[in-house]
Amino acid sequence: MSRIGKQLINLPKDVEFRKVENKISIKGPKGEITKVLPQNIEVVKLESGLLSVTRVIEDRKSRELHGLFRSLLSNMVTGVSAGFVKILDMKGVGYKANVDKDTLVLNVGYSHPVRITAPTGIKFQVETNTIVRVIGIDKEEVGLVAQKIRAIRPPEPYKGKGIMYRGEVIQRKAGKSSK
């Protein structure tokens, strides 16, 4: 049995769980997320307020999906109750960011400002012109948007300039050595 799949998911008091046929819906104070349940996986709400994820059939595909879907379900519960945040730091001379309604405007050394429109369910916050927060309830979506922002100007190894995740370590290289 999957070590992750057999763990129970704690459902907070302010979070609702609904299952209609093969769709699972989790609603909380931050919003609502819906996912389609795979055929071989069963989700049951226990009396104690816990969610249990089990396999219906013991084949290879079911075993693969068991732990994965339990993790996705746990992320859904965390997202609607607390939310997810990715923090990006910008390093470089003249690098700055600001938010215009739901659009993030980045000045990162190009001849023009780069504009990124926030997808549905994602919000941008800018602190001190060089710190960008990507906030949302869907962990996957928050990670994809943060990755898209980082890809605009990835950190380079010589001077360490660019957009990087908070806590990311950039392996620095030595420059040319003179003789």
Side-chain angles (χ1 to χ4, degrees):
M1 183 134 193
S2 171
R3 292 182 192 170
I4 293 175
K6 67 183 176 183
Q7 295 175 358
L8 298 176
I9 301 169
N10 188 15
L11 206 59
K13 299 244 185 276
D14 54 349
V15 175
E16 294 177 22
F17 169 78
R18 276 185 296 163
K19 181 181 170 189
V20 178
E21 294 175 14
N22 66 339
K23 287 191 180 179
I24 289 182
S25 175
I26 296 185
K27 186 176 183 181
K30 300 259 184 190
E32 183 174 4
I33 301 177
T34 305
K35 278 218 188 297
V36 177
L37 188 64
Q39 291 178 341
N40 304 334
I41 303 296
E42 185 67 34
V43 178
V44 178
K45 183 176 180 183
L46 305 174
E47 296 85 27
S48 58
L50 298 172
L51 293 178
S52 172
V53 180
T54 56
R55 298 190 287 253
V56 177
I57 303 168
E58 290 292 325
D59 64 338
R60 182 181 179 123
K61 189 71 172 169
S62 299
R63 289 193 310 266
E64 290 171 354
L65 289 174
H66 188 201
L68 169 71
F69 198 77
R70 188 261 173 214
S71 294
L72 292 175
L73 197 59
S74 176
N75 287 339
M76 289 168 62
V77 171
T78 305
V80 297
S81 58
F84 291 102
V85 177
K86 281 276 190 181
I87 301 173
L88 298 162
D89 293 325
M90 297 173 26
K91 289 190 178 148
V93 177
Y95 285 16
K96 64 180 180 176
N98 56 25
V99 178
D100 182 33
K101 295 182 184 171
D102 65 340
T103 304
L104 180 67
V105 181
L106 299 172
N107 293 317
V108 286
Y110 293 118
S111 62
H112 59 283
V114 179
R115 298 179 185 279
I116 299 172
T117 305
T120 307
I122 299 293
K123 207 170 90 179
F124 296 125
Q125 284 182 349
V126 175
E127 303 171 14
T128 66
N129 290 335
T130 59
I131 299 171
V132 178
R133 290 180 182 263
V134 181
I135 302 168
I137 62 172
D138 188 2
K139 186 175 186 178
E140 181 182 4
E141 191 71 27
V142 169
L144 285 173
V145 171
Q147 180 269 327
K148 208 181 279 187
I149 294 170
R150 184 183 181 276
I152 291 169
R153 184 67 86 175
E156 54 98 11
Y158 295 101
K159 292 185 179 178
K161 292 170 39 175
I163 302 172
M164 60 199 79
Y165 297 117
R166 170 73 49 93
E168 181 180 8
V169 177
I170 306 301
Q171 293 292 326
R172 301 291 296 269
K173 291 183 179 179
K176 268 187 179 178
S177 61
S178 60
K179 293 185 179 184

